[in-house]
Amino acid sequence: MNQKYSSYHNLIQCCSDFGFMPNIVLCTMENSLIYRFCQEKIGIGIDADVHPEKELLAGLRKIELYDAIPWKINLVFRKNTVNDKVISRLQEICCNLD
């Protein structure tokens, strides 16, 4: 991710806490580029695992990070869809994440 995301700044801070600065030569918001550069062995990438396309991980080694980045989830929807089944299910899922 790029400098617009807190994950970027959290990474820089964590590296600094351990006494080094990463040599970041490219920042992108395009997850497909992150995976492509990793597959071509020209970089490593950090990505929030929110993508259902598991084929993106083909040939890659995934290292899971826990409690590294706090996330807030917000649901925005029109008032007239408050009783929609999908909206209700999303609310249920988000409320059970704590």
Side-chain angles (χ1 to χ4, degrees), residues 28-80:
T28 182
M29 291 174 37
E30 291 294 327
N31 296 319
S32 60
L33 285 177
I34 293 171
Y35 289 98
R36 179 178 164 202
F37 292 145
C38 291
Q39 287 168 334
E40 293 180 8
K41 299 187 183 343
I42 56 175
I44 61 171
I46 297 176
D47 182 33
D49 188 17
V50 295
H51 311 290
E53 304 88 10
K54 296 304 175 195
E55 62 272 5
L56 289 174
L57 290 174
L60 298 177
R61 186 173 144 217
K62 178 180 172 181
I63 300 171
E64 295 195 23
L65 304 173
Y66 296 100
D67 298 322
I69 302 168
W71 289 89
K72 289 184 178 180
I73 298 175
N74 297 293
L75 296 175
V76 178
F77 51 89
R78 292 189 305 255
K79 287 182 182 180
N80 66 343

Side-chain angles (χ1 to χ4, degrees), residues 6-42:
S6 62
S7 58
Y8 173 90
H9 299 285
N10 290 346
L11 171 70
I12 299 299
Q13 183 61 52
C14 285
C15 291
S16 177
D17 291 347
F18 284 94
F20 72 96
M21 288 301 295
N23 181 21
I24 299 174
V25 295
L26 176 71
C27 294
T28 182
M29 291 174 37
E30 291 294 327
N31 296 319
S32 60
L33 285 177
I34 293 171
Y35 289 98
R36 179 178 164 202
F37 292 145
C38 291
Q39 287 168 334
E40 293 180 8
K41 299 187 183 343
I42 56 175

